[in-house]
PDB file of all heavy atoms in Angstrom:
ATOM      1  N   ALA L 956     140.939-186.701-279.380  1.00 96.00           N
ATOM      2  CA  ALA L 956     139.611-187.108-279.989  1.00 96.00           C
ATOM      3  C   ALA L 956     138.929-185.781-280.491  1.00 96.00           C
ATOM      4  O   ALA L 956     138.259-185.930-281.522  1.00 96.00           O
ATOM      5  CB  ALA L 956     138.783-187.841-278.774  1.00 96.00           C
ATOM      6  N   GLY L 957     138.973-184.819-279.758  1.00 95.00           N
ATOM      7  CA  GLY L 957     138.259-183.547-280.143  1.00 95.00           C
ATOM      8  C   GLY L 957     138.749-182.971-281.517  1.00 95.00           C
ATOM      9  O   GLY L 957     139.834-183.193-282.032  1.00 95.00           O
ATOM     10  N   ARG L 958     137.941-182.238-282.163  1.00 93.00           N
ATOM     11  CA  ARG L 958     138.191-181.811-283.591  1.00 93.00           C
ATOM     12  C   ARG L 958     139.016-180.499-283.706  1.00 93.00           C
ATOM     13  O   ARG L 958     139.359-180.141-284.757  1.00 93.00           O
ATOM     14  CB  ARG L 958     136.752-181.490-284.189  1.00 93.00           C
ATOM     15  CG  ARG L 958     136.031-180.353-283.624  1.00 93.00           C
ATOM     16  CD  ARG L 958     134.651-180.095-284.395  1.00 93.00           C
ATOM     17  NE  ARG L 958     133.887-178.995-283.918  1.00 93.00           N
ATOM     18  CZ  ARG L 958     133.049-179.187-282.850  1.00 93.00           C
ATOM     19  NH1 ARG L 958     132.839-180.340-282.382  1.00 93.00           N
ATOM     20  NH2 ARG L 958     132.334-178.102-282.513  1.00 93.00           N
ATOM     21  N   ASP L 959     139.363-179.926-282.500  1.00 90.00           N
ATOM     22  CA  ASP L 959     140.281-178.758-282.542  1.00 90.00           C
ATOM     23  C   ASP L 959     141.576-179.069-283.164  1.00 90.00           C
ATOM     24  O   ASP L 959     142.156-180.247-283.219  1.00 90.00           O
ATOM     25  CB  ASP L 959     140.594-178.266-281.108  1.00 90.00           C
ATOM     26  CG  ASP L 959     139.518-177.225-280.800  1.00 90.00           C
ATOM     27  OD1 ASP L 959     138.601-177.017-281.514  1.00 90.00           O
ATOM     28  OD2 ASP L 959     139.432-176.869-279.587  1.00 90.00           O
ATOM     29  N   THR L 960     142.254-178.094-283.758  1.00 87.00           N
ATOM     30  CA  THR L 960     143.530-178.333-284.421  1.00 87.00           C
ATOM     31  C   THR L 960     144.690-177.962-283.710  1.00 87.00           C
ATOM     32  O   THR L 960     145.791-178.132-284.268  1.00 87.00           O
ATOM     33  CB  THR L 960     143.443-177.492-285.933  1.00 87.00           C
ATOM     34  OG1 THR L 960     143.285-176.132-285.544  1.00 87.00           O
ATOM     35  CG2 THR L 960     142.273-178.003-286.676  1.00 87.00           C
ATOM     36  N   GLU L 961     144.695-177.455-282.604  1.00 77.00           N
ATOM     37  CA  GLU L 961     145.807-176.985-281.777  1.00 77.00           C
ATOM     38  C   GLU L 961     146.714-178.170-281.483  1.00 77.00           C
ATOM     39  O   GLU L 961     146.212-179.185-280.939  1.00 77.00           O
ATOM     40  CB  GLU L 961     145.582-176.162-280.597  1.00 77.00           C
ATOM     41  CG  GLU L 961     144.858-174.737-280.698  1.00 77.00           C
ATOM     42  CD  GLU L 961     143.425-174.820-280.955  1.00 77.00           C
ATOM     43  OE1 GLU L 961     142.775-175.908-280.986  1.00 77.00           O
ATOM     44  OE2 GLU L 961     142.796-173.755-281.005  1.00 77.00           O
ATOM     45  N   ARG L 962     147.968-178.023-281.696  1.00 76.00           N
ATOM     46  CA  ARG L 962     149.035-178.970-281.135  1.00 76.00           C
ATOM     47  C   ARG L 962     148.644-180.426-281.306  1.00 76.00           C
ATOM     48  O   ARG L 962     148.306-181.119-280.483  1.00 76.00           O
ATOM     49  CB  ARG L 962     149.249-178.661-279.650  1.00 76.00           C
ATOM     50  CG  ARG L 962     149.765-177.172-279.284  1.00 76.00           C
ATOM     51  CD  ARG L 962     150.079-176.991-278.000  1.00 76.00           C
ATOM     52  NE  ARG L 962     150.521-175.597-277.752  1.00 76.00           N
ATOM     53  CZ  ARG L 962     150.849-175.165-276.549  1.00 76.00           C
ATOM     54  NH1 ARG L 962     150.799-175.842-275.510  1.00 76.00           N
ATOM     55  NH2 ARG L 962     151.170-173.878-276.384  1.00 76.00           N
ATOM     56  N   GLY L 963     148.655-180.745-282.639  1.00 78.00           N
ATOM     57  CA  GLY L 963     148.535-182.257-282.862  1.00 78.00           C
ATOM     58  C   GLY L 963     147.161-182.601-283.479  1.00 78.00           C
ATOM     59  O   GLY L 963     147.045-183.700-283.959  1.00 78.00           O
ATOM     60  N   GLY L 964     146.252-181.673-283.265  1.00 81.00           N
ATOM     61  CA  GLY L 964     144.915-182.001-283.643  1.00 81.00           C
ATOM     62  C   GLY L 964     144.805-181.813-285.269  1.00 81.00           C
ATOM     63  O   GLY L 964     145.745-181.528-285.973  1.00 81.00           O
ATOM     64  N   PRO L 965     143.674-181.999-285.874  1.00 92.00           N
ATOM     65  CA  PRO L 965     142.396-182.438-285.012  1.00 92.00           C
ATOM     66  C   PRO L 965     142.471-183.886-284.661  1.00 92.00           C
ATOM     67  O   PRO L 965     143.005-184.761-285.295  1.00 92.00           O
ATOM     68  CB  PRO L 965     141.338-182.221-286.058  1.00 92.00           C
ATOM     69  CG  PRO L 965     141.941-182.501-287.393  1.00 92.00           C
ATOM     70  CD  PRO L 965     143.389-181.968-287.277  1.00 92.00           C
ATOM     71  N   GLY L 966     141.684-184.260-283.536  1.00 91.00           N
ATOM     72  CA  GLY L 966     141.629-185.727-283.260  1.00 91.00           C
ATOM     73  C   GLY L 966     140.703-186.448-284.097  1.00 91.00           C
ATOM     74  O   GLY L 966     139.864-185.658-284.817  1.00 91.00           O
ATOM     75  N   ASN L 967     140.683-187.734-284.035  1.00 93.00           N
ATOM     76  CA  ASN L 967     139.875-188.474-284.948  1.00 93.00           C
ATOM     77  C   ASN L 967     138.525-188.873-284.402  1.00 93.00           C
ATOM     78  O   ASN L 967     137.936-189.907-284.912  1.00 93.00           O
ATOM     79  CB  ASN L 967     140.644-189.568-285.636  1.00 93.00           C
ATOM     80  CG  ASN L 967     141.007-190.704-284.603  1.00 93.00           C
ATOM     81  OD1 ASN L 967     140.620-190.554-283.464  1.00 93.00           O
ATOM     82  ND2 ASN L 967     141.830-191.619-284.958  1.00 93.00           N
TER      83      ASN L 967
END
Side-chain angles (χ1 to χ4, degrees):
R958 64 179 180 270
D959 277 351
T960 58
E961 286 92 352
R962 297 185 183 177
N967 67 3

